[in-house]
């Protein structure tokens, strides 16, 4: 049955839609980074002997992957632009420019190895990680990437993650839904690529 309307739909200018789209993604990105740097990554690393020194770096490796999954490449610069202040600009550049997780980790470690001695806590954290590996930067980078893989974050393809979320929602709310809502779920589940 076709959808019809008796009132015209107000057309938004494409620029307005893009600004709203980027702003929505920017808010989600900021919330994810804040969540990770405020303890979520530390919880993922619970029990790891170097969790204090790894948490910030892995939070931004998470941000790197989040951007790749949720933000089309053409919008990344606009999304990151407001975060490019003096204290985080280098991180935003890394997030945007690194071609893969390995390149991000290499850029991060090189940045802090070359940073001035009076740099923030992240430099001290990186130097402590390096000291545990007798200064072997390549070994550290490889271990970081292996640790990231063991966390299993972003391991499930996005489509599969959304299908699983939909399944969980149906289970959670299924008993509360009326027959019309249950029929809508059945129709959606029958769509190509669903469930």
């Amino acid at each position: 049955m076709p959808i019809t309307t008796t009132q015209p739909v107000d057309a938004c200018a494409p620029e307005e839609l893009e600004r709203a789209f980027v702003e929505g993604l920017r808010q989600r990105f900021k919330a994810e980074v804040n969540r990770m740097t405020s303890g979520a990554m530390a919880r993922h690393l619970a029990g790891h002997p170097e969790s204090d020194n790894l948490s910030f770096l892995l939070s931004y490796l998470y941000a790197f992957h989040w951007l790749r999954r949720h933000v089309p490449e053409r919008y990344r610069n606009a999304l990151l632009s407001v975060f490019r202040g003096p204290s985080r600009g280098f991180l935003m550049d890394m997030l945007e420019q690194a071609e893969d997780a390995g390149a991000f980790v290499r850029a991060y470690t090189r940045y802090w190895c070359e940073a001035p001695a009076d740099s923030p806590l992240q430099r001290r954290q990186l130097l402590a990680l390096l000291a545990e590996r007798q200064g072997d930067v390549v070994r550290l980078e490889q271990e970081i990437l292996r640790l990231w893989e063991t966390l299993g974050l972003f391991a499930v393809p996005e489509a599969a993650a959304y299908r699983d979320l939909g399944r969980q929602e149906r289970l959670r709310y299924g008993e509360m839904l009326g027959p019309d809502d249950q029929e809508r779920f059945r129709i959606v589940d029958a769509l190509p690529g669903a469930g």
Side-chain angles (χ1 to χ4, degrees):
M1 180 158 125
I3 297 175
T4 60
T5 180
T6 57
Q7 298 191 3
V9 176
D10 290 336
C12 289
E15 306 82 39
E16 291 177 48
L17 290 174
E18 280 193 5
R19 274 195 302 275
F21 175 70
V22 170
E23 183 55 33
L25 287 173
R26 184 180 293 126
Q27 290 172 6
R28 288 179 55 206
F29 173 75
K30 182 178 179 182
E32 283 299 298
V33 169
N34 287 341
R35 185 175 71 84
M36 283 292 147
T37 58
S38 297
M41 184 54 72
R43 287 188 293 280
H44 283 293
L45 296 170
H48 191 286
E50 296 176 299
S51 62
D52 288 346
N53 290 329
L54 287 164
S55 186
F56 185 84
L57 164 56
L58 288 172
S59 293
Y60 273 90
L61 188 52
Y62 176 94
F64 171 85
H65 286 283
W66 189 94
L67 281 168
R68 296 310 179 275
R69 176 170 279 193
H70 298 287
V71 182
E73 185 175 358
R74 69 184 243 189
Y75 297 112
R76 290 180 194 151
N77 184 281
L79 183 146
L80 295 170
S81 65
V82 300
F83 304 116
R84 280 198 161 93
S87 66
R88 292 185 304 247
F90 72 96
L91 269 173
M92 301 308 114
D93 291 343
M94 288 176 204
L95 288 171
E96 184 179 4
Q97 296 166 10
E99 295 202 11
D100 57 32
F104 176 81
V105 171
R106 284 188 298 278
Y108 185 94
T109 57
R110 297 309 191 278
Y111 178 87
W112 288 117
C113 283
E114 297 168 3
D118 63 344
S119 294
L121 173 65
Q122 288 78 24
R123 181 174 190 272
R124 291 190 301 277
Q125 291 170 333
L126 184 75
L127 293 178
L129 292 167
L130 273 172
E132 286 294 316
R133 289 152 187 86
Q134 292 73 47
D136 189 338
V137 176
V138 173
R139 178 178 159 208
L140 173 61
E141 292 165 351
Q142 291 171 344
E143 288 181 16
I144 289 167
L145 292 170
R146 278 196 299 274
L147 176 58
W148 171 259
E149 291 298 318
T150 66
L151 295 177
L153 303 171
F154 296 101
V156 176
E158 187 174 20
Y162 278 114
R163 278 195 303 274
D164 187 52
L165 180 61
R167 184 187 59 74
Q168 291 173 27
E169 292 290 308
R170 283 188 295 283
L171 290 173
R172 183 179 310 139
Y173 297 112
E175 295 174 2
M176 296 186 294
L177 299 176
D180 291 341
D181 293 320
Q182 291 177 1
E183 178 62 21
R184 280 189 209 96
F185 271 138
R186 280 190 286 282
I187 291 169
V188 169
D189 287 342
L191 293 172

